[in-house]
């Protein structure tokens, strides 16, 4: 019948729409699951296990876990030297470049001052010619000295001086003068003004010697007006020396200047009023006051080419032409003349030249 057929068509229409709805739902669900799996990484829970701490690795194990070094076993007990702890560390001193002013004190000597500042005594003389005149005995308490930082000559520039000629005069190198930081010279245009003080590193010159001439026995003496009241007339003869010397004082140590080119003697320690004896037998050729900073002095000619001189005495107990034996008392120690403290200036001469007393005196 017609109604049944219409109803059947209506049922087919509902089924058709229901199928489409289910299909779209399935497609939507499938698409959602696919998007979730592709865009969000899947988290998988790792199985729980007990973690054991890894032992400390050596440097080699760190880079190659397959290699394990054996433990070092020493066959015997280790010995060591204990290190002493020093709390005060040493800081190296930088060398100075400036010239310093030094005030001479009691007991000072050119040799001692030079040793204190680490320079040669000649440098002290060369750099203070205006006050010392190359004579180390001119040193006096309160005197102001210029102390250069290095060996050489501290020179005051004169009008007309040329660097080349000054370097040649003092046997120095021009480059050393220019390069010395304390001179503060412009290397591109080194101009030195008249009156300026310039350090001449390693410069040197001859030293003017201030000495008392000691004539040999039998010859004429020296002028008292030129060399002092202690000068003898000469023409004497007497006892001869043995050529073996003894110390002229009870002290056998240096007190002041040692032997060097500007001081051709040694300064021996002595107390004021201490006994001074003849180092060897001979004849007195000088006895009394001497010029040139020696003070009271005695000179002995030993008749064998040797002569000895004793200076800065507080008193003289011998006279011209007198013969004295080795060890005989000749005067008292003191600090007369140019002296900053008690000491004996002791010279040894041979045939007119100077001999280092250390070469002839017995070991102290």
């Amino acid at each position: 019948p017609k109604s049944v057929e219409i109803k059947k068509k209506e049922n087919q229409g509902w089924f058709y729409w229901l199928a489409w709805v289910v299909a779209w739902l399935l497609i939507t669900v499938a698409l959602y699951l696919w998007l979730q799996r592709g865009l969000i990484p899947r988290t998988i829970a790792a199985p729980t296990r007990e973690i054991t701490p890894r032992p400390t690795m050596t440097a080699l194990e760190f880079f190659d876990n397959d290699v394990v070094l054996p433990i070092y076993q020493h066959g015997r007990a280790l010995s060591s030297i204990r290190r002493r702890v020093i709390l005060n560390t040493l800081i190296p001193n930088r060398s100075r470049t400036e010239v310093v002013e030094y005030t001479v004190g009691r007991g000072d000597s050119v040799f001692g001052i030079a040793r204190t500042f680490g320079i040669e005594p000649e440098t002290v003389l060369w750099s203070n010619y205006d006050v010392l005149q190359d004579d180390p005995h001119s040193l006096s308490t309160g005197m102001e000295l210029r102390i250069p930082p290095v060996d050489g000559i501290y020179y005051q520039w004169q009008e007309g001086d040329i660097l080349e000629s000054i370097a040649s005069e003092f046997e120095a190198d021009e480059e050393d003068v220019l390069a010395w930081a304390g001179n503060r010279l412009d290397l591109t245009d080194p101009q030195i003004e008249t009156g300026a003080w310039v350090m001449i590193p390693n410069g040197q010159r001859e030293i003017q010697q201030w000495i008392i001439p000691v004539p040999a026995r039998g010859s004429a003496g020296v002028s008292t007006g030129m060399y002092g009241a202690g000068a003898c007339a000469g023409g004497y003869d007497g006892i001869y020396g043995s050529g073996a010397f003894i110390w002229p004082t009870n002290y056998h140590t240096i007190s002041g200047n040692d032997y060097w080119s500007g001081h051709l003697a040694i300064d021996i320690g002595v107390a004021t009023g201490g006994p001074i004896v003849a180092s060897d037998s001979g004849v007195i050729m000088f006895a009394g006051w001497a010029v040139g900073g020696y003070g009271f002095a005695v000179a002995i000619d030993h008749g064998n080419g040797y002569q000895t001189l004793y200076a800065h005495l507080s008193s003289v107990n011998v006279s011209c032409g007198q013969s004295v034996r080795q060890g005989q008392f000749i005067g008292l120690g003191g600090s007369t003349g140019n002296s900053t403290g008690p000491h004996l200036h002791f010279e040894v001469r041979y045939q007119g030249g100077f001999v280092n007393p250390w070469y002839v005196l017995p070991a102290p």
Side-chain angles (χ1 to χ4, degrees):
K2 188 176 180 180
S3 58
V4 173
E5 185 176 350
I6 293 171
K7 189 174 182 178
K8 183 178 179 179
K9 286 183 179 180
E10 288 177 354
N11 290 335
Q12 288 179 347
W14 282 106
F15 179 78
Y16 174 81
W17 287 110
L18 181 60
W20 272 105
V21 170
V22 172
W24 278 110
L25 286 174
L26 291 175
I27 292 171
T28 302
V29 171
L31 181 61
Y32 174 79
L33 292 177
W34 179 81
L35 291 174
Q36 287 293 321
R37 180 167 183 163
L39 297 178
I40 303 176
R42 183 176 53 181
T43 303
I44 303 176
T48 348
R49 63 176 181 176
E50 185 179 353
I51 300 175
T52 305
R54 186 171 181 176
T56 304
M57 293 185 296
T58 64
L60 188 56
E61 290 175 335
F62 180 80
F63 291 105
D64 188 352
N65 294 334
D66 296 330
V67 177
V68 179
L69 296 178
I71 300 175
Y72 175 69
Q73 299 287 343
H74 199 280
R76 57 180 180 176
L78 292 174
S79 59
S80 61
I81 300 175
R82 186 176 181 181
R83 177 181 294 173
R84 183 168 60 92
V85 177
I86 300 177
L87 299 180
N88 297 324
T89 57
L90 297 177
I91 302 175
N93 293 324
R94 294 179 174 86
S95 57
R96 61 186 175 94
T97 58
E98 301 295 331
V99 174
V100 299
E101 295 287 334
Y102 179 78
T103 303
V104 178
R106 180 174 174 79
D108 273 342
S109 65
V110 171
F111 186 85
I113 294 171
R115 182 169 53 187
T116 299
F117 286 94
I119 57 178
E120 295 295 327
E122 291 88 346
T123 296
V124 178
L125 286 185
W126 290 331
S127 302
N128 295 277
Y129 184 80
D130 55 334
V131 292
L132 294 178
Q133 300 292 308
D134 274 0
D135 183 5
H137 299 101
S138 298
L139 204 65
S140 60
T141 304
M143 180 181 289
E144 295 289 334
L145 297 180
R146 293 177 291 270
I147 309 298
V150 293
D151 285 322
I153 299 175
Y154 193 48
Y155 175 74
Q156 189 171 27
W157 210 256
Q158 304 298 315
E159 186 176 358
D161 281 345
I162 301 174
L163 181 58
E164 181 181 1
S165 61
I166 293 299
S168 176
E169 178 183 348
F170 295 131
E171 301 179 18
D173 191 337
E174 291 182 57
E175 296 300 324
D176 291 341
V177 179
L178 291 172
W180 183 250
N183 289 333
R184 297 187 176 89
L185 297 177
D186 183 356
L187 299 182
T188 60
D189 185 24
Q191 298 293 329
I192 304 176
E193 297 181 0
T194 300
W197 287 90
V198 179
M199 186 65 210
I200 314 294
N202 301 315
Q204 55 184 322
R205 61 168 173 78
E206 292 293 330
I207 294 178
Q208 180 182 354
Q209 298 293 341
W210 297 85
I211 62 175
I212 298 175
V214 180
R217 65 178 64 201
S219 60
V222 293
S223 168
T224 58
M226 183 176 295
Y227 297 106
C232 297
Y236 316 117
D237 199 6
I239 193 171
Y240 284 77
S242 64
F245 296 86
I246 64 171
W247 284 82
T249 70
N250 293 328
Y251 300 93
H252 300 168
T253 56
I254 296 298
S255 175
N257 288 295
D258 204 338
Y259 186 90
W260 49 281
S261 63
H263 185 261
L264 305 178
I266 60 174
D267 290 341
I268 305 174
V270 65
T272 299
I276 306 298
V277 301
S279 187
D280 196 6
S281 302
V283 175
I284 304 298
M285 297 298 295
F286 194 101
W289 185 261
V291 298
Y294 281 83
F296 285 111
V298 170
I300 303 174
D301 179 81
H302 302 286
N304 52 9
Y306 280 104
Q307 296 171 326
T308 52
L309 184 139
Y310 315 74
H312 302 308
L313 308 180
S314 59
S315 68
V316 173
N317 293 80
V318 290
S319 58
C320 292
Q322 179 181 344
S323 289
V324 293
R325 295 191 177 275
Q326 186 180 67
Q328 183 175 333
F329 175 69
I330 61 174
L332 297 175
S335 184
T336 57
N338 291 338
S339 172
T340 58
H343 69 279
L344 174 66
H345 174 91
F346 180 62
E347 294 180 8
V348 178
R349 306 180 187 181
Y350 182 71
Q351 295 183 352
F354 286 82
V355 176
N356 189 335
W358 290 109
Y359 294 157
V360 299
L361 289 174

